[in-house]
Amino acid sequence: TGTFDGDGHVIKNFKITEVPTFTNATATALPEGTTTVYCTNVGLFGAVQSGTIKNLGVEDVSITVDNKTKESAINRVGALVGRLTGTVTNCYAKNITCRKLDSNAGTNMSGFIGVLRGKSTITDCYVNGFDVDTENPNRITANAFVDAAEGENNESVITNCYVVNAIKNRVTKFYAFAVEGKGGDNSVLKLNNCWSTDINGSGADKSLSRGNI
């Protein structure tokens, strides 16, 4: 909760390296007896709950996620925020590099914010430069701005935002803004006055998004 006001400052040249850190003993919604290992909410701000981030830039960020085994999964990865339930205004991410090391485990990652929950809002923000690569293209979704809207009754809104200079390498699906609104029939991500250009790489989709948009 609360407000983080960057006052126009920029945080530069930092690295995030994550490996799975807890098992289904502390995770929810996993079948009894499974040994899946999860690591979630990876970013400068791991999770924001009913809070606000404004007037902040992040530049030259390197994110590497390492799934040690095929039973592990890393989700909600973003340079600024891993999971947002709140508001982000007048922020940006520039020159973001994401790498997923080889495994059969699933990973969801984004250059800006991993996932949106509740009725989150993002206004007057942008991504300039997002480069994503993986050694296993069938087990990752990556999107330059936000990976997904997540949870029941999600009514998140993105307004006056854009993506430029995004490069996708060996990722099965790649969009500028989001894969989908997921987590329930009432989960919808709304885009108002958003645009993208220079979305490149083999298999990159030039459309803004797909799913419940």
Side-chain angles (χ1 to χ4, degrees):
T1 61
T3 297
F4 182 95
D5 187 349
D7 196 27
H9 287 85
V10 179
I11 299 176
K12 295 184 176 181
N13 301 314
F14 66 91
K15 296 181 179 180
I16 300 173
T17 302
E18 285 291 338
V19 298
T21 54
F22 61 91
T23 67
N24 60 297
T26 55
T28 60
L30 292 175
E32 183 177 355
T34 62
T35 57
T36 301
V37 179
Y38 273 80
C39 178
T40 63
N41 306 335
V42 178
L44 178 64
F45 298 88
V48 175
Q49 183 70 35
S50 301
T52 297
I53 300 173
K54 62 182 181 179
N55 306 322
L56 179 67
V58 292
E59 295 185 8
D60 303 318
V61 181
S62 174
I63 302 173
T64 301
V65 293
D66 186 358
N67 303 73
K68 290 297 186 182
T69 70
K70 67 180 181 180
E71 292 84 14
S72 64
I74 300 176
N75 296 299
R76 302 171 182 165
V77 178
L80 184 67
V81 182
R83 185 192 72 197
L84 174 66
T85 308
T87 300
V88 171
T89 303
N90 195 33
C91 294
Y92 73 89
K94 184 177 181 180
N95 299 333
I96 310 302
T97 302
C98 287
R99 293 288 182 268
K100 176 184 179 295
L101 302 185
D102 188 27
S103 82
N104 291 320
T107 299
N108 303 89
M109 58 203 313
S110 167
F112 193 50
I113 294 174
V115 299
L116 305 178
R117 294 185 63 90
K119 296 183 179 180
S120 296
T121 60
I122 304 176
T123 306
D124 298 328
C125 297
Y126 68 88
V127 172
N128 183 352
F130 175 56
D131 186 349
V132 59
D133 198 359
T134 178
E135 296 176 1
N136 190 337
N138 296 319
R139 297 294 289 159
I140 180 173
T141 64
N143 300 282
F145 198 88
V146 171
D147 184 62
E150 180 183 83
E152 294 287 346
N153 300 313
N154 191 312
E155 298 179 3
S156 296
V157 180
I158 302 174
T159 303
N160 298 334
C161 296
Y162 66 89
V163 173
V164 294
N165 301 320
I167 300 175
K168 166 253 190 190
N169 299 289
R170 296 193 298 272
V171 179
T172 303
K173 288 294 183 181
F174 180 84
Y175 294 83
F177 277 89
V179 173
E180 59 187 348
K182 63 182 181 180
D185 293 338
N186 297 320
S187 182
V188 177
L189 176 60
K190 299 178 181 179
L191 302 180
N192 297 322
N193 194 33
C194 296
W195 57 275
S196 66
T197 188
D198 296 327
I199 308 299
N200 299 304
S202 175
D205 195 304
K206 299 300 180 69
S207 60
L208 288 180
S209 56
R210 76 167 174 85
N212 299 330
I213 305 296

